[in-house]
Amino acid sequence: MISAKKSLGQNFLIDKNVIDKIVNILELKRKNILEIGPGTGNLTETILKKNPRKVLVVEKDDNLAKLLKEKFKDKIEVINQDILKINENSLSDQTLTVFGNLPYNISTEILCKWILNIKEKIWFDCLILMFQKEVADRIISNFNTKNYGRLTILANWRLDIRKICDVSPLCFRPKPKIESTVLFFEPKKNFFSFKNSKNLEKITRIFFMHRRKMIKKPYYQLFNGNINIASKIGIDLNSRPQNLDFETYFKLTKEYENLRS
């Protein structure tokens, strides 16, 4: 039996009911599937029963990649690489439906990378991803709440998100110390367009660097003390970062880009 590696954040999903619930979220027949971190292949096995056109799996662990190749033969294509080092836009000519029990230690990094690298032709039709519950709560939180932050704003910029279910630690081997949550993401048809998406990442990073303090200092830092932009957007500089909704951060990013064009 292959043991999970703590260094890679591995916890293998073993609960059949949860696996079925995840796989039955949408019709998979003739779809092109990408699975991130398949582990021992429990979810992969159930996906294959739904008759997809093609299944790609990305598994960084050499031993697990070998196990998956032996277990599924030519039914899947195993990519034995680090997902953070892969250009997701070049994985397939076809749009992919993505499943992932993401390693807890890099889950936010993966999601942010995908969002910031979205091209005109989006490489996925939906993402069905499992996160540590605490991270999922941040992704789906509302402004004016303690969980609201950079991750919330980045995710909701390009994606419509809904919660599928919470998952107990008992559903994994080895058993993690925390609950997990499955989220469903779809690309938005209408969204704020930026010259460079990294400007939104920069704005939110600077504002939330001191989330309990008023936004006056980071605002002046970004806009060189120009009070007119705050007045134009209707921002109270005595507010704190979590008091500004998504649209305000998007407008701030546009104004920031306009100043530098």
Side-chain angles (χ1 to χ4, degrees):
M1 181 182 290
I2 288 181
S3 299
K5 291 181 181 174
K6 194 172 182 180
S7 62
L8 295 179
Q10 292 176 344
N11 298 92
F12 305 136
L13 183 61
I14 57 172
D15 187 287
K16 186 74 169 61
N17 291 328
V18 174
I19 289 170
D20 286 343
K21 186 167 189 172
I22 292 170
V23 172
N24 290 327
I25 289 170
L26 70 167
E27 175 61 59
L28 299 184
K29 190 174 182 180
R30 307 299 297 160
K31 280 191 173 279
N32 298 290
I33 308 295
L34 170 67
E35 186 184 357
I36 310 299
T40 53
N42 297 334
L43 186 69
T44 320
E45 195 167 10
T46 306
I47 288 171
L48 285 168
K49 290 175 184 174
K50 299 293 181 178
N51 298 313
R53 178 183 284 115
K54 184 178 182 180
V55 176
L56 304 172
V57 302
V58 175
E59 178 52 66
K60 181 180 179 180
D61 186 297
D62 295 341
N63 292 331
L64 286 173
K66 184 181 176 186
L67 172 80
L68 292 163
K69 287 173 184 174
E70 290 171 353
K71 184 174 181 179
F72 296 110
K73 305 291 192 289
D74 59 355
K75 291 179 183 176
I76 66 173
E77 180 183 335
V78 179
I79 303 169
N80 183 199
Q81 292 182 48
D82 182 343
I83 186 61
L84 286 171
K85 294 179 180 174
I86 290 174
N87 177 1
E88 57 277 1
N89 292 286
S90 65
L91 278 168
S92 174
D93 293 333
Q94 305 297 316
T95 304
L96 296 166
T97 299
V98 183
F99 290 86
N101 175 15
L102 302 181
Y104 291 150
N105 53 350
I106 56 168
S107 62
T108 57
E109 196 177 348
I110 293 170
L111 183 62
C112 289
K113 175 178 178 279
W114 288 351
I115 292 165
L116 294 172
N117 286 349
I118 288 176
K119 306 296 183 191
E120 193 172 331
K121 182 181 182 295
I122 302 178
W123 62 276
F124 61 88
D125 57 15
C126 67
L127 309 171
I128 300 157
L129 306 176
M130 190 180 304
F131 297 88
Q132 185 175 339
K133 186 177 186 300
E134 178 187 325
V135 173
D137 287 345
R138 284 164 50 205
I139 292 170
I140 59 176
S141 64
N142 295 313
F143 81 103
N144 277 333
T145 63
K146 66 175 183 177
N147 287 322
Y148 182 75
R150 292 179 57 225
L151 185 59
T152 325
I153 296 159
L154 286 174
N156 284 272
W157 166 49
R158 289 301 307 261
L159 303 168
D160 286 318
I161 310 164
R162 63 185 168 94
K163 179 176 175 176
I164 300 299
C165 62
D166 291 326
V167 183
S168 163
L170 298 172
C171 299
F172 297 89
R173 180 183 58 80
K175 186 172 72 171
K177 294 177 181 176
I178 40 79
E179 279 195 25
S180 302
T181 299
V182 179
L183 298 180
F184 181 87
F185 303 80
E186 278 185 305
K188 282 184 174 176
K189 290 185 172 65
N190 299 309
F191 56 91
F192 268 74
S193 180
F194 303 122
K195 291 169 187 168
N196 186 338
S197 59
K198 297 215 170 127
N199 286 321
L200 177 62
E201 191 276 335
K202 179 179 181 177
I203 294 280
T204 53
R205 173 168 41 82
I206 290 173
F207 268 79
F208 281 92
M209 204 173 288
H210 303 288
R211 62 177 298 132
R212 289 185 176 84
K213 295 188 176 179
M214 291 186 291
I215 63 170
K216 192 177 293 181
K217 187 174 178 181
Y219 173 86
Y220 283 154
Q221 178 186 339
L222 286 160
F223 295 100
N224 303 318
N226 185 340
I227 197 73
N228 295 328
I229 291 168
S231 300
K232 177 181 175 182
I233 300 175
I235 296 173
D236 177 358
L237 294 180
N238 293 318
S239 302
R240 285 168 175 74
Q242 71 266 26
N243 301 140
L244 308 184
D245 61 14
F246 301 139
E247 191 161 319
T248 301
Y249 279 105
F250 302 154
K251 287 177 179 176
L252 277 168
T253 305
K254 291 289 278 187
E255 294 293 341
Y256 177 79
E257 290 188 331
N258 291 340
L259 277 180
R260 278 148 184 78
S261 61

